[in-house]
Amino acid sequence: MLKNYLIGINSLTTINFKTPVQQYLPQVEERMRDQSVGHHPDLKSAVEHLLASGGKRVRPILCLLAGEMLGSDLQRTITLAAAVEMLHTATLVHDDMIDGALLRRGNPTLNSKWSPAATILTGDFIFARAAKLAAETDSIEVMNLFAQTLSDIVNGEITQMFKSRGLVSRDDYFERIYAKTASMFELATVAPIYLSEGKDELSSIMKTFGYEIGMAFQIVDDILDFTGAQANVGKPVASDLRQGLVTLPALIYIEENPNDEDFMRALNGGNGDDALMTRLVSSIRESGAVEKSLSQAKKYVSRGLASLNELPMSEERKALEDLARYIVDRDF
Amino acid sequence: MLKNYLIGINSLTTINFKTPVQQYLPQVEERMRDQSVGHHPDLKSAVEHLLASGGKRVRPILCLLAGEMLGSDLQRTITLAAAVEMLHTATLVHDDMIDGALLRRGNPTLNSKWSPAATILTGDFIFARAAKLAAETDSIEVMNLFAQTLSDIVNGEITQMFKSRGLVSRDDYFERIYAKTASMFELATVAPIYLSEGKDELSSIMKTFGYEIGMAFQIVDDILDFTGAQANVGKPVASDLRQGLVTLPALIYIEENPNDEDFMRALNGGNGDDALMTRLVSSIRESGAVEKSLSQAKKYVSRGLASLNELPMSEERKALEDLARYIVDRDF
């Protein structure tokens, strides 16, 4: 039901928010593809494969919209948008390898086709080229933000690996999704400030906006893992929980049903038991936890929208608002 | 014989070249250790372990000497030296994992103690912190050089993985050791220029110096793999050749003995045959290929020394010369 609602609204909203920057997206793609030029041909084909199976380019779009709204230097903002998406791509390469994921967005992952060594090094190469692109924005502030974001993301992954399997607190969950997703959204919305003139005082507005919609984005991603909207791309429903990772819908469910035996068994090694998992996922879906999670995501989006109120209305601000709303209405 | 010669001269030379910058090395160590502050405790212990088992800090010393010679800003040069050594450390973490190495400098590698996932992420974290340190030099030129060097290193590793196993040309070999080692020596000698005033015209001298001694450094490393000087740190003699990697001594040997059957068998899957490998390593050592390789390394060092002739004599220039000579006399 929720899934159908999400699908229904999707086609309507994806079109609008891109409009003001649509014309620059091919240049972002080109900047990314150029990164493998002059390097080993197998690297080139890996980068092509990763970029071709890339998602909706939400991060570069966000970056370009913020840049256009702030009057940032266009060419350097295009470079920044490419840097952000390359950084995102690099983290996915190592993540998929660590998780042993075979598909992403319906396409085979690099680790499903290449050796561990080739996969690790390709991830490293994409990190390197993301850093090179960030340096080419010619802003030391951008470079600092970029490197800090990369640290935060990796530290978050390590924390998740060592600590966050099993039952976590809401604080742990929010800390994890900040590191995983919202930190990069912040980078995309804040960094364009340093490519414009005299917009430094907008830094906290742009940071709040990026943070809030980034948190919402990851919560919705975690919801979609439960609603099954990702089943068509080859992931099993509740793939996170099957790997022992507790996300918001599961967290809300266990808060409300602290003695649920299926849940405890799933966390204590029972996550390979298909019958148990199917029953548990049904219980979670029917419990209202998904709707409550979406309501939480909508709160984040509302705060993000509110932060933009201090800015003058413009085509780009309108598009950023559309993008924010799209996050809680999307289906991907 | 060569080995004894190398050991004999070692204690004499290690002391001198450090002297002008010895007092700053503790600050470099501190900058590196600080990178794990505020992050996950297991990360902190991994970083401590890696730094404690670190080598002779040749790259930071090179960087500090170059900086002092060029009149670079001291604090930023210390930060740069830490960035360069962190970058070096990060590449070792992923390299050891890919090679399945259990020991480095006599200490257990991270991958021998941790899961692949934890090892990959720790390497990523150290890359991230190296990039953060590079950004903290507050020089976009340094950042650009840093990111380009990282790309070159990783591209070199990928090329080696896909192409350079088995028989290679001298050009392939030199290209590989440039990417693996000389590129980072160049970074260490060139980047301090951007932390000084009005020294831009020295860029090509500093680049030549870093390049030449970096090439020599890797050739000597490859020689030491054959002379057995590394046996006491747990590596078997000729560990590269055992992994199918042909370095200069082996390359010179096969150039002079193109029909050597042991060699061809070793490259065609016979590298696990201990008797064959022992015989082959003896043949290479007795062939004069090791001495010819050292002579090649000394040519690089001579060119490096010659490049410094255009600079006024100073305590730091003298130390850089000592460091260059030490490379072809060292035992590590």
Side-chain angles (χ1 to χ4, degrees), chain A residues 266-286:
Chain A
L267 283 194
N268 290 299
N271 53 355
D273 178 342
D274 265 347
L276 170 75
M277 290 307 292
T278 305
R279 205 165 57 230
L280 176 58
V281 170
S282 289
S283 303
I284 294 174
R285 287 164 68 156
E286 287 159 16

Side-chain angles (χ1 to χ4, degrees), chain A residues 39-40 42-43 94 118 121 124 128-129 132 135 138 140 143-144 147-148 150-151 154-155 157-158 161-162, chain B residues 39-40 42-43 94 118 121 124 128-129 132 135 138 140 143-144 147-148 150-151 154-155 157-158 161-162:
Chain A
H39 294 97
H40 195 270
D42 283 313
L43 254 183
H94 284 180
L121 291 175
D124 289 351
R129 299 313 299 184
K132 187 74 174 71
D138 210 22
I140 201 74
M143 204 54 238
N144 254 308
Q148 186 59 50
L150 174 53
S151 295
V154 178
N155 183 59
E157 286 167 355
I158 290 173
M161 188 175 53
F162 282 118
Chain B
H39 294 97
H40 195 269
D42 283 313
L43 253 184
H94 284 180
L121 290 175
D124 289 351
R129 299 313 299 184
K132 187 76 175 72
D138 211 20
I140 200 74
M143 205 53 238
N144 254 309
Q148 186 58 50
L150 174 53
S151 295
V154 178
N155 183 57
E157 285 168 354
I158 290 173
M161 187 174 54
F162 281 118

Side-chain angles (χ1 to χ4, degrees), chain B residues 21-92:
Chain B
V21 294
Q22 181 93 51
Q23 60 185 311
Y24 309 126
L25 286 174
Q27 289 181 64
V28 174
E29 297 293 320
E30 199 186 336
R31 296 288 283 139
M32 292 196 285
R33 284 202 164 72
D34 279 354
Q35 298 310 307
S36 61
V37 170
H39 294 97
H40 195 269
D42 283 313
L43 253 184
K44 192 170 151 60
S45 73
V47 170
E48 291 286 337
H49 168 79
L50 289 165
L51 295 180
S53 54
K56 294 205 164 40
R57 308 290 191 230
V58 171
R59 292 159 192 80
I61 291 169
L62 197 54
C63 191
L64 291 167
L65 286 173
E68 286 290 278
M69 185 175 76
L70 298 164
S72 308
D73 179 88
L74 179 59
Q75 284 310 313
R76 292 159 76 206
T77 307
I78 288 170
T79 303
L80 173 65
V84 170
E85 189 70 2
M86 285 294 269
L87 177 60
H88 173 57
T89 306
T91 63
L92 298 183

Side-chain angles (χ1 to χ4, degrees), chain B residues 8 15 20 24-25 29 36 44 50 61 81 94 101 128 151 164 189 206 216-217 224 267 275 277 289 308 320 323:
Chain B
I15 305 159
Y24 309 126
L25 286 174
E29 297 293 320
S36 61
K44 192 170 151 60
L50 289 165
I61 291 169
H94 284 180
S151 295
S164 302
T189 55
M206 296 312 290
F217 189 92
L224 293 171
L267 284 194
M277 289 308 292
L308 294 184
L320 285 171
L323 192 157

Side-chain angles (χ1 to χ4, degrees), chain A residues 136-205:
Chain A
E136 286 171 11
T137 63
D138 210 22
S139 158
I140 201 74
E141 291 91 348
V142 166
M143 204 54 238
N144 254 308
L145 261 184
F146 178 90
Q148 186 59 50
T149 305
L150 174 53
S151 295
D152 288 347
I153 293 168
V154 178
N155 183 59
E157 286 167 355
I158 290 173
T159 305
Q160 169 174 326
M161 188 175 53
F162 282 118
K163 188 176 74 174
S164 303
R165 301 274 154 174
L167 207 49
V168 293
S169 69
R170 282 208 186 203
D171 281 353
D172 287 338
Y173 172 75
F174 290 127
E175 190 183 307
R176 186 213 295 159
I177 69 171
Y178 170 73
K180 180 175 180 173
T181 303
S183 64
M184 215 180 302
F185 276 65
E186 270 184 13
L187 173 67
T189 54
V190 173
I193 286 179
Y194 302 109
L195 308 180
S196 71
E197 300 275 329
K199 293 285 165 42
D200 288 21
E201 80 278 12
L202 299 183
S203 156
S204 102
I205 292 176

Side-chain angles (χ1 to χ4, degrees), chain A residues 54-165:
Chain A
K56 293 205 164 40
R57 307 292 191 229
V58 171
R59 292 159 191 81
I61 291 168
L62 198 53
C63 191
L64 291 167
L65 286 173
E68 285 290 277
M69 184 175 75
L70 298 165
S72 309
D73 180 89
L74 179 60
Q75 284 309 314
R76 292 158 76 206
T77 308
I78 288 170
T79 302
L80 172 65
V84 171
E85 189 70 3
M86 286 293 269
L87 177 60
H88 173 57
T89 306
T91 62
L92 297 183
V93 169
H94 284 180
D95 277 4
D96 284 343
M97 176 169 171
I98 287 167
D99 294 344
L102 302 178
L103 290 171
R104 174 170 292 272
R105 303 188 192 108
N107 294 297
T109 56
L110 206 57
N111 53 287
S112 73
K113 310 197 309 176
W114 280 17
S115 69
T119 307
I120 293 170
L121 291 175
T122 302
D124 289 351
F125 179 78
I126 300 175
F127 274 129
R129 299 313 299 184
K132 187 74 174 71
L133 282 164
E136 286 171 11
T137 63
D138 210 22
S139 158
I140 201 74
E141 291 91 348
V142 166
M143 204 54 238
N144 254 308
L145 261 184
F146 178 90
Q148 186 59 50
T149 305
L150 174 53
S151 295
D152 288 347
I153 293 168
V154 178
N155 183 59
E157 286 167 355
I158 290 173
T159 305
Q160 169 174 326
M161 188 175 53
F162 282 118
K163 188 176 74 174
S164 303
R165 301 274 154 174

